[in-house]
Amino acid sequence: MNKKHSTCAIVGAGIAGIAAAIRMACKGFEVDIFESNPYPGGKLSEIRLGEYRFDAGPSLFTMPHFVDELFELSGKNPRDYFDYSKLEMMAKYFYEDGLVLRSFADPEKFAAEIAQKTKTSPKRLKAFMQKSKLKYELTEEVFLKSSLHRLQNYFRKSTLRGILNMYRLDVFRSLDQVNRAWFEDPKMVQFFNRYATYNGSNPYETPGIMNVIPHLEFGFGAFFPKGGMYQITQSLFRLAKDLGVRFHFNTQVEEIMLAGKKAQALRLNPKTGTPHSLNFDLVISNMDIVNTYRKLLPGIAPPEKLLNQPKSSSALIFYWGIQGNFPELELHNIFFSQDYKKEFDTLFYKKEILDDPTVYLNISSKEAPEDAPANGENWFTMVNAPNNQGQDWDKIIASTRQNIFDKLSRILGKAIEPLIREEAVLDPRSIESRTYSTQGALYGNSSNNRYAAFLRHANFSSRIKNLYFCGGSVHPGGGIPLCLLSAKIATDLIKG
């Protein structure tokens, strides 16, 4: 078959699904993408409450070159679709004893800030950052840009280099153990332990290799897309349509239909219209891998060991339209709990939220004033939450809401609740129902053991021909950069 007539179906218009659609269109395929929601982006979407606009999900933008790469691959100028700026201050950290740390992008300014306010010397901090960079360089090609499930990849020079340097990656110590060995000041240990939450992990269990994550932020920088995070989705959505990708919203995929052991069609159930099936030469699922097997492949025995791996944490998010301005706050703000160990024990073992949670506060109107009225701010207020296991979420939401008010009001010196003009809530139940993420987990399987990278599902099916997978629940993991890389790995396996 001439490749320009080869057809590809993509299940799910999350950011990885859109990226896969773009890559397949560039290979010459005719691409159709099916999404049960009326909008693209999955978790990377937006909500509007009165005069306030909020990015619904991911709020930190790192490694923008992975987005730009999709435009360049398509022969387009990325700046014709969207733009972004580098942040001078990546975040502001508030501790209960009154200490405030400013995370400057400039390494010299950040080192000076840390030296002035903690027991950490610039030399020690620089050595730590160099180690983080080394971990990235040793693991980039092995874990992030290649399939771990193709034997030939283990004979590549870059893979062998990573394997031979495994002892330098701290895979046999927890992230907390590594950070306590590096830093005398417990505040710096807490500062760098927080990076475990970037993939929904527990810093007291996840291996020290996760110290690669600070390099993604400090080495490459943190950015803000003009118009907000949802512009990443909107720009890629526009690019995909410009390449001829056909989007089918409000369309539920009921089954990936097989001919023997080969994916050949989708059975569809549009919310308006008659159920029907369409044939395709291959299928890429951007749906959560557990639900792909449980819901879309009824005749296939699931890989239970992989599917039953413990899931990552979730989130409880309050979207608050605030009347008033807080000049002491930045785009990204973190209000630490006093007992970090107790917070994660509560999260992962008791499956509850501590009464003194760490609060992440994102205010996009600091960079995009149009996101809130002149005398207001849009507060995306998030705490880490356990994944959904049938907890009494209404009770948890009510108590956590009050605990957040108490914490922010105490630290900021102003009662917060009376300032709220608009409010919406996103909890693990609604994350699960809106995005089909198993148990509302944000990042698929947890990374709380040293073998976690190998216990994610491959980007292809070893049993079903012409079936591939992308998104945060498969290799290499969750978060915008890794989801984009999952699309690249999956589509690179497909010949044009």
Side-chain angles (χ1 to χ4, degrees), residues 162-316:
I163 292 172
L164 292 173
N165 283 277
M166 191 68 70
Y167 69 97
R168 307 174 76 175
L169 299 178
D170 291 317
V171 295
F172 298 108
R173 292 190 293 169
S174 73
L175 183 67
D176 175 69
Q177 288 172 327
V178 173
N179 289 338
R180 282 192 288 110
W182 269 98
F183 299 107
E184 175 187 354
D185 195 314
K187 288 186 171 62
M188 291 305 297
V189 175
Q190 187 175 26
F191 182 101
F192 285 108
N193 276 357
R194 179 180 169 268
Y195 284 93
T197 67
Y198 280 42
N199 65 3
S201 301
N202 180 348
Y204 303 93
E205 290 187 351
T206 196
I209 191 175
M210 289 302 168
N211 262 335
V212 67
I213 299 176
H215 178 66
L216 306 185
E217 191 169 299
F218 287 94
F220 292 96
F223 301 80
F224 185 79
K226 185 178 181 181
M229 295 292 289
Y230 190 51
Q231 289 306 310
I232 300 172
T233 293
Q234 289 290 75
S235 65
L236 293 179
F237 176 48
R238 178 184 158 200
L239 172 62
K241 289 193 295 182
D242 287 349
L243 294 174
V245 174
R246 294 181 289 263
F247 285 80
H248 306 269
F249 295 110
N250 293 307
T251 303
Q252 182 74 50
V253 176
E254 299 284 353
E255 182 181 355
I256 297 172
M257 303 174 71
L258 309 180
K261 293 294 184 180
K262 180 179 179 180
Q264 75 160 16
L266 296 183
R267 183 164 60 85
L268 307 170
N269 188 3
K271 294 179 181 177
T272 56
T274 305
H276 61 286
S277 62
L278 292 175
N279 291 332
F280 294 94
D281 294 310
L282 58 88
V283 176
I284 302 174
S285 178
N286 180 213
M287 191 178 189
D288 178 276
I289 192 66
V290 174
N291 284 317
T292 296
Y293 278 99
R294 305 276 191 228
K295 296 179 183 296
L296 305 187
L297 294 166
I300 299 298
E304 296 292 352
K305 183 177 180 180
L306 295 184
L307 301 191
N308 291 329
Q309 289 297 307
K311 299 298 177 273
S312 78
S313 61
S314 185
L316 174 58

Side-chain angles (χ1 to χ4, degrees), residues 467-479:
L467 178 59
Y468 301 85
F469 308 98
C470 65
S473 67
V474 298
H475 178 71

Side-chain angles (χ1 to χ4, degrees), residues 73 85 102 108 118 124 142 164 181 183 215 249 277 304 335 348 376 392 440 457 461 465:
L73 179 68
S85 56
R102 297 168 296 174
E108 298 300 325
T118 75
R124 190 64 175 164
V142 184
L164 292 173
F183 299 107
H215 178 66
F249 295 110
S277 62
E304 296 292 352
F335 298 81
F348 283 95
D392 185 345
H457 198 286
S461 173
K465 189 177 180 181

Side-chain angles (χ1 to χ4, degrees), residues 55-211:
D55 290 309
S59 56
L60 177 66
F61 187 30
T62 60
M63 308 184 84
H65 54 281
F66 289 143
V67 179
D68 284 349
E69 180 182 298
L70 293 167
F71 295 97
E72 293 160 357
L73 179 68
S74 307
K76 308 287 188 180
N77 180 356
R79 303 291 79 80
D80 289 340
Y81 287 79
F82 89 126
D83 205 355
Y84 51 85
S85 56
K86 188 173 183 178
L87 299 176
E88 293 183 8
M89 188 185 299
M90 292 182 289
K92 206 168 185 180
Y93 293 79
F94 296 80
Y95 294 81
E96 281 285 355
D97 65 357
L99 176 67
V100 178
L101 287 179
R102 297 168 296 174
S103 179
F104 293 104
D106 183 317
E108 298 300 325
K109 289 181 69 173
F110 180 55
E113 174 83 355
I114 295 303
Q116 178 186 350
K117 296 181 177 179
T118 75
K119 302 173 184 177
T120 305
S121 70
K123 182 179 179 181
R124 190 64 175 164
L125 180 65
K126 183 177 180 181
F128 176 85
M129 292 300 188
Q130 284 297 118
K131 185 69 179 291
S132 178
K133 180 181 179 182
L134 175 64
K135 287 179 179 178
Y136 176 79
E137 291 172 344
L138 290 173
T139 59
E140 176 186 17
E141 294 295 333
V142 184
F143 292 104
L144 302 184
K145 293 186 176 181
S146 304
S147 172
L148 291 176
H149 306 85
R150 293 287 196 190
L151 183 62
Q152 60 265 35
N153 288 343
Y154 287 88
F155 297 98
R156 292 160 56 181
K157 184 178 179 180
S158 57
T159 306
L160 292 172
R161 177 173 176 254
I163 292 172
L164 292 173
N165 283 277
M166 191 68 70
Y167 69 97
R168 307 174 76 175
L169 299 178
D170 291 317
V171 295
F172 298 108
R173 292 190 293 169
S174 73
L175 183 67
D176 175 69
Q177 288 172 327
V178 173
N179 289 338
R180 282 192 288 110
W182 269 98
F183 299 107
E184 175 187 354
D185 195 314
K187 288 186 171 62
M188 291 305 297
V189 175
Q190 187 175 26
F191 182 101
F192 285 108
N193 276 357
R194 179 180 169 268
Y195 284 93
T197 67
Y198 280 42
N199 65 3
S201 301
N202 180 348
Y204 303 93
E205 290 187 351
T206 196
I209 191 175
M210 289 302 168
N211 262 335

